[in-house]
Amino acid sequence: MTDATVSSSAAPQVLAWDGPTRLFKWALVATVVSAWVSNKYGAGNVAWHVWNGYAVLVLVVFRLLWGLVGGSTARFAGFLRAPLATIRYGLDLLRGREAHYLGHNPLGGWMVMVLLGLAAVMGLSGLFNADTDRMIIEGPLSAKLSDAAVSLAHRIHHQAFDLLLIAIVLHLAAVAFHSVVKKERLAPAMVTGRKPARDYADMAAATPGSIGLAIGCLVAAGLIVWGGIWIAR
Ligand code: HEM
Ligand code: HEM
């Protein structure tokens, strides 16, 4: 019996998601929700939206680094598959004969990149954004910009959030579909980190990433975001 397998009276479970990946995932959910709430109800405290925006940027950079050195199911090389293989998986899914994945399945893997990409666009456009009168809330890099450039950042910030909402709805629909129709309880696994042992197409059990490396990635992400803003100011 390997240490990755936990057996109890129920089916044996294996590690699917390591701690840093799960912490990242739910921190991103919390900061995206907080970004919306802070814009809608935080007029009296604009710093909330700005600092929350920095947190989203640090999380995205962290995830990019963790995608290179993190646990086996967190690595991009482990879940990003070629377009043809992804289409084939999609067709198999519709025909009910899809392979099962411990980590992100081929479609889920690309959805992860879309969600990360849109969160990055929100954070980056926010840095150059300001409210229409440039009076109430200003991104740290908007001061030097012309009104036209700031209003372009404003438009991108607005439209990218609409796209992010659409991606989140698709993401939730996919998670619900896998849980209800395919009986694959993906959401609890993203909390506990464990999935039932079975014949997964990608790997039998995940190798967790090192906590030291995760802390290193987080510190590096903070330095990259703040260093970048400081240099660009
Ligand atoms: C309460 C709502 C949500 C639930 C239940 C949920 C559920 C999940 C699940 C089950 C996974 C793993 C998918 C897999 O097995 O392949 C996942 C991954 C992910 N979700 Fe969500 N999600 C939610 C909201 C969001 C939101 C709002 C975002 C915002 C951007 C988001 C971004 C992501 C990302 C980036 C991953 C990949 C995690 C990684 O590999 O690091 N999710 N989510
Ligand atoms: C450093 C980062 C950020 C800064 C400086 C920033 C700044 C701003 C500014 C100046 C506005 C316009 C407010 C107004 O017109 O009254 C705004 C709106 C908004 N921001 Fe951010 N933002 C940042 C990051 C984010 C992130 C990461 C998200 C979400 C993931 C986000 C979500 C929103 C939303 C939903 C709105 C309202 C958009 C609209 O309806 O026009 N922001 N933000």
Side-chain angles (χ1 to χ4, degrees):
M1 192 181 318
T2 64
D3 59 352
T5 312
V6 174
S7 70
S8 65
S9 54
Q13 304 272 310
V14 291
L15 183 72
W17 308 110
D18 60 25
T21 304
R22 283 175 280 144
L23 268 179
F24 155 79
K25 179 334 208 234
W26 296 112
L28 186 68
V29 173
T31 48
V32 167
V33 172
S34 165
W36 183 81
V37 174
S38 61
N39 175 266
K40 199 125 187 92
Y41 305 105
N45 175 10
V46 291
W48 171 13
H49 190 75
V50 177
W51 282 92
N52 186 75
Y54 293 156
V56 169
L57 281 171
V58 170
L59 283 171
V60 169
V61 175
F62 164 82
R63 188 59 182 88
L64 295 177
L65 297 172
W66 192 238
L68 302 175
V69 299
S72 56
T73 50
R75 294 193 180 200
F76 301 126
F79 67 78
L80 288 183
R81 296 173 183 94
L84 262 187
T86 306
I87 293 167
R88 211 174 297 126
Y89 170 79
L91 294 174
D92 285 349
L93 193 65
L94 294 175
R95 294 184 189 123
R97 55 166 195 235
E98 75 285 357
H100 295 279
Y101 290 82
L102 180 70
H104 299 303
N105 67 52
L107 284 173
W110 286 110
M111 176 49 94
V112 168
M113 300 318 284
V114 169
L115 290 163
L116 285 177
L118 287 169
V121 172
M122 287 308 296
L124 290 170
S125 60
L127 298 176
F128 303 95
N129 193 4
D131 61 289
T132 6
D133 310 320
R134 299 182 75 164
M135 304 272 284
I136 303 160
I137 170 173
E138 287 199 285
L141 304 180
S142 66
K144 283 196 197 147
L145 297 185
S146 67
D147 287 351
V150 170
S151 75
L152 174 65
H154 194 87
R155 254 199 327 277
I156 292 171
H157 205 63
H158 180 81
Q159 287 162 359
F161 195 72
D162 290 345
L163 290 177
L164 181 58
L165 286 179
I166 294 168
I168 290 168
V169 169
L170 286 175
H171 173 54
L172 295 182
V175 171
F177 170 76
H178 277 276
S179 303
V180 177
V181 180
K182 300 293 177 179
K183 306 286 176 245
E184 272 190 285
R185 303 179 64 218
L186 300 183
M190 206 22 120
V191 176
T192 64
R194 298 196 167 274
K195 283 186 180 181
R198 64 174 302 164
D199 55 340
Y200 292 112
D202 48 352
M203 61 196 88
T207 313
S210 98
I211 299 298
L213 262 179
I215 294 168
C217 288
L218 192 60
V219 171
L223 291 173
I224 290 168
V225 170
W226 267 287
I229 293 171
W230 190 72
I231 292 167
R233 239 189 178 140

